[in-house]
Amino acid sequence: MSQPFHIVVCGSIVPDPLQMLEPVTGAAGPALKNEMMLPAVLDPWAAHALFEAAHLAAKHAGSKVWLVSLGPKAKLQQVMLTVAQKVPFELVALDGPASGFCDSLATAQVLADAVAGIPALNRDRLLLFGGWESASRGAGSTMQIVAERLGISEQFQGVDQLTVREDGSMEILERVEGGRHLVSVCSAPPAAFGWATGHLPEPRNNPQVGMTNMKTIMPALQRAKASAVAADGLRFAAVNVPKLQRQTRVVKDMPPEEIARELVAWIREK
Amino acid sequence: MEKILFLVHTDGGPLSKGALQALGAASGLGGELVVGLAGVSTQAAADSIATCGAARFLAVDGEAFAQPRYATDAAAAEALCRVSEATVVIAPSTSRWARALPGVAARLHGAVDTHVTSLGADLSATRWFYRQRMEGTLTRTQRPWMLLLEADCAAAWNGAAGSATAEQVPMAAVPTRTTVQGLQDSKTDEQTIRPEANLLFVAGAGWTKKQADGAIHTDQAEQLILGFLRASQASLGGSKSLVDLSGEGQAVLRCMSHLNQVGQTGSTPRHPKGLSTCCHGEEPHVVGWRFINDRRAVNMDANCGWARGKADVVYVADAFAVMAIVNRMLGG
């Protein structure tokens, strides 16, 4: 008989990928221009982690999923209205910055404290999930540090597949160089998983799941603790958007034979 | 003066290009250089960089360090950092170090920065934020500071081999519940991701759309793409819209998986040249292009995000027709 898992997903919000982003520098360092006005979404890789967590929990009776999310409370509330309709989870909200310029060490400390503080969390059955990188900081370092702070020494990054075997051990596929996967087996929880895309499509909106989730999400947002994320000794000298615009040569009305000849010559150039 | 540890894992053979580039960057910083090696047998690698000017060579040898695994890799790196008393740690950005070093930084109460693209002589680091959409230059006072350097961002160290005397760092057995089984190729039928390739071939969703005759030709598209990859030895990238099609029940290219995805939520590979075909996208998705030096596109729409202002040349043409001839000319 399979044992239940306690799955904690760490994931925050990022600006909608289709928004134009512009950096500004303030007293506290770099930030995004009009950051609070930008529409936000759940970080894509963290979203994959959440969907994988719900999928896994559904297959193992008694399992439970928490989403620990650090971000400005008002933005979290907006994003949760959508995310709540996807899969069942309990939110642990932390009111703080979700900027890509925040340090991963400081962020990880706040997240680790929040995970450790979840009542009724069975640390022996803990699977710590998150995106392997965020679409903001893109550091790929936060989850490892959260796991270290929680004393988890079995860690996997760039995870595309997690299969629980009959004996309770877990087979994990991690992305490595050359488009290949590293296959590992972890005998038991606790373990940490930084998810890549996995294989699950985004779940359809389910209003019933949304209504159930919102019963706990709104109180969680109301009691969200203000969390300072301070990085000692980190200083940004500059943050810039690359301005390089190429002078594109647009070739129209050239026969395919001629285009092909030009391309082949270009490909063969050293 | 900073004490700089160049950290590398080895499979017993010569060091990779990325590792030599990280060594080049580390040795150019001007501090006291220490080399730290981890692997099943490190002597050959140590000898291959014996003349790099390192004051010490430290090694963690053993079967446990042959395979990539967080617990053992982190333990080896931690031991090397502690013995070297390094203030700055430079490592190549491999999947192995990217997995392990952030945790090591936490253990040592240090700091870590990944995906570093340049290192200044004043020890300033440059990296990208918001999925390669803006570039920041930063410095830190916290030590030890670990920096994972991306490939092709520094000149490789290019010195003579010699004979290095590596000090073995004693390691107790590392407790772990993880067993490495090995490597698995992607689920596509053919290996299409070649990080060392001269050319990145980006296929867009247009390959799976209705063509001039009103029909979809995914089989033909797949043959053309695979034929081109075989003939040119290019690496294959896909736009998000194309790799997402499989999840939406639409016609798909079997040679394409999420591992091929480039752009906002995919990878941003580094190749000297890039050729995009049938791609259409907004600027944020085109970040998959960012580290491609010489870019061309074959597209029916000259104004799409992958072309105007982003590519050096855009051919307004039917990619099916063009690529069939290209393949014939390349002998594919």
Side-chain angles (χ1 to χ4, degrees):
Chain A
M1 189 181 139
S2 69
Q3 285 192 290
F5 295 109
H6 278 191
I7 310 172
V8 177
V9 183
C10 296
S12 189
I13 55 175
V14 294
D16 186 308
L18 290 179
Q19 296 297 314
M20 296 306 290
L21 305 181
E22 194 179 329
V24 290
T25 302
L32 295 181
K33 189 176 180 182
N34 298 327
E35 189 159 1
M36 287 303 286
M37 305 294 287
L38 293 169
V41 295
L42 186 63
D43 191 286
W45 279 309
H48 288 300
L50 178 64
F51 304 151
E52 293 282 350
H55 183 71
L56 186 63
K59 289 199 293 189
H60 297 271
S63 296
K64 186 167 179 184
V65 178
W66 288 265
L67 174 63
V68 178
S69 201
L70 169 66
K73 198 194 298 195
K75 302 294 286 182
L76 280 180
Q77 184 171 341
Q78 282 173 18
V79 172
M80 289 306 148
L81 291 174
T82 308
V83 177
Q85 299 197 45
K86 300 292 182 185
V87 293
F89 64 87
E90 185 176 320
L91 179 69
V92 178
L94 300 162
D95 188 15
S99 167
F101 303 110
C102 288
D103 189 43
S104 59
L105 271 158
T107 303
Q109 185 60 59
V110 171
L111 293 174
D113 290 345
V115 175
I118 294 175
L121 180 69
N122 181 350
R123 299 268 286 260
D124 293 334
R125 300 299 300 166
L126 172 61
L127 300 182
L128 182 70
F129 279 23
W132 69 329
E133 287 184 359
S134 67
S136 50
R137 186 167 37 249
S141 56
T142 311
M143 291 309 301
Q144 294 95 314
I145 301 169
V146 174
E148 276 289 330
R149 296 268 189 257
L150 294 169
I152 299 172
S153 59
E154 310 305 314
Q155 298 195 25
F156 307 90
Q157 292 296 319
V159 176
D160 267 333
Q161 190 171 304
L162 167 59
T163 310
V164 180
R165 307 199 299 191
E166 280 193 1
D167 63 357
S169 64
M170 298 168 285
E171 185 185 88
I172 302 108
L173 265 57
E174 289 172 276
R175 290 187 185 184
V176 293
E177 286 80 3
R180 293 193 292 178
H181 282 116
L182 177 70
V183 186
S184 304
V185 173
C186 181
S187 60
F193 305 85
W195 281 88
T197 45
H199 297 292
L200 298 177
E202 184 174 330
R204 293 181 191 281
N205 285 352
N206 183 334
Q208 270 189 320
V209 169
M211 281 190 289
T212 309
N213 276 343
M214 288 313 284
K215 285 179 192 163
T216 57
I217 285 174
M218 292 314 290
L221 285 164
Q222 280 162 3
R223 61 174 182 266
K225 279 197 299 189
S227 304
V229 180
D232 295 333
L234 170 62
R235 195 179 72 82
F236 281 89
V239 178
N240 297 304
V241 175
K243 295 288 184 202
L244 189 64
Q245 181 86 1
R246 298 200 177 204
Q247 292 299 315
T248 305
R249 176 165 68 93
V250 180
V251 180
K252 291 180 180 171
D253 304 323
M254 186 187 268
E257 281 276 355
E258 212 168 312
I259 295 173
R261 200 171 301 117
E262 206 171 290
L263 280 174
V264 169
W266 171 70
I267 289 165
R268 285 177 172 159
E269 272 173 22
K270 288 293 174 194
Chain B
M1 186 169 69
E2 302 281 3
K3 188 174 271 191
I4 296 159
L5 173 66
F6 163 63
L7 201 53
V8 65
H9 51 75
T10 169
D11 57 6
L15 296 184
S16 68
K17 186 175 80 170
L20 291 173
Q21 289 167 349
L23 176 57
S27 58
L29 290 176
E32 181 188 329
L33 180 65
V34 178
V35 171
L37 305 109
V40 65
S41 171
T42 59
Q43 189 57 50
D47 287 344
S48 72
I49 54 171
T51 62
C52 68
R56 293 172 81 184
F57 283 79
L58 303 172
V60 171
D61 281 22
E63 279 296 332
F65 310 105
Q67 292 168 317
R69 176 174 37 218
Y70 179 85
T72 43
D73 286 344
E78 182 187 358
L80 290 166
C81 290
R82 287 191 190 280
V83 172
S84 68
E85 298 177 330
T87 55
V88 175
V89 180
I90 309 286
S93 186
T94 61
S95 60
R96 204 165 166 173
W97 282 147
R99 186 195 299 115
L101 290 191
V104 178
R107 290 180 191 180
L108 299 174
H109 306 289
V112 63
D113 281 295
T114 57
H115 301 303
V116 172
T117 51
S118 73
L119 278 170
D122 59 344
L123 211 56
S124 59
T126 302
R127 67 181 301 275
W128 291 81
F129 294 84
Y130 289 95
R131 299 298 302 156
Q132 286 74 41
R133 291 173 68 185
M134 54 191 77
E135 192 176 33
T137 304
L138 56 96
T139 56
R140 288 181 186 271
T141 53
Q142 196 173 0
R143 298 291 185 269
W145 184 14
M146 303 196 170
L147 299 121
L148 280 93
L149 188 71
E150 286 288 298
D152 296 327
C153 291
W157 179 82
N158 185 19
S163 179
T165 305
E167 303 166 41
Q168 286 294 322
V169 175
M171 291 282 302
V174 181
T176 178
R177 286 176 277 115
T178 298
T179 313
V180 177
Q181 308 279 295
L183 291 169
Q184 186 179 92
D185 285 331
S186 68
K187 285 183 176 172
T188 57
D189 298 332
E190 192 163 326
Q191 179 56 266
T192 56
I193 298 173
R194 302 181 176 111
E196 305 291 325
N198 201 40
L199 176 72
L200 173 71
F201 181 78
V202 185
W207 285 102
T208 61
K209 304 297 181 197
K210 283 182 183 171
Q211 299 303 308
D213 61 358
I216 292 169
H217 298 282
T218 42
D219 285 347
Q220 189 192 352
E222 194 155 72
Q223 281 173 18
L224 286 171
I225 292 168
L226 288 174
F228 178 73
L229 295 179
R230 287 182 201 122
S232 65
Q233 288 298 297
S235 188
L236 178 62
S239 64
K240 177 171 168 53
S241 52
L242 181 56
V243 297
D244 277 355
L245 289 178
S246 60
E248 297 163 4
Q250 296 188 41
V252 292
L253 298 176
R254 290 182 299 272
C255 60
M256 190 72 74
S257 77
H258 273 102
L259 296 180
N260 294 96
Q261 186 186 330
V262 298
Q264 184 73 20
T265 48
S267 63
T268 42
R270 290 164 192 276
H271 298 274
K273 295 178 187 176
L275 174 63
S276 88
T277 51
C278 297
C279 290
H280 175 75
E282 301 297 329
E283 193 277 339
H285 296 308
V286 187
V287 295
W289 237 189
R290 182 132 294 162
F291 303 122
I292 306 297
N293 300 334
D294 194 354
R295 311 168 186 168
R296 297 195 178 197
V298 180
N299 205 319
M300 297 299 281
D301 175 10
N303 291 313
C304 103
W306 287 83
R308 188 66 69 99
K310 300 290 190 303
D312 300 299
V313 184
V314 56
Y315 300 97
V316 182
D318 177 2
F320 278 77
V322 172
M323 294 314 295
I325 304 168
V326 167
N327 284 358
R328 202 175 64 228
M329 289 177 172
L330 288 171

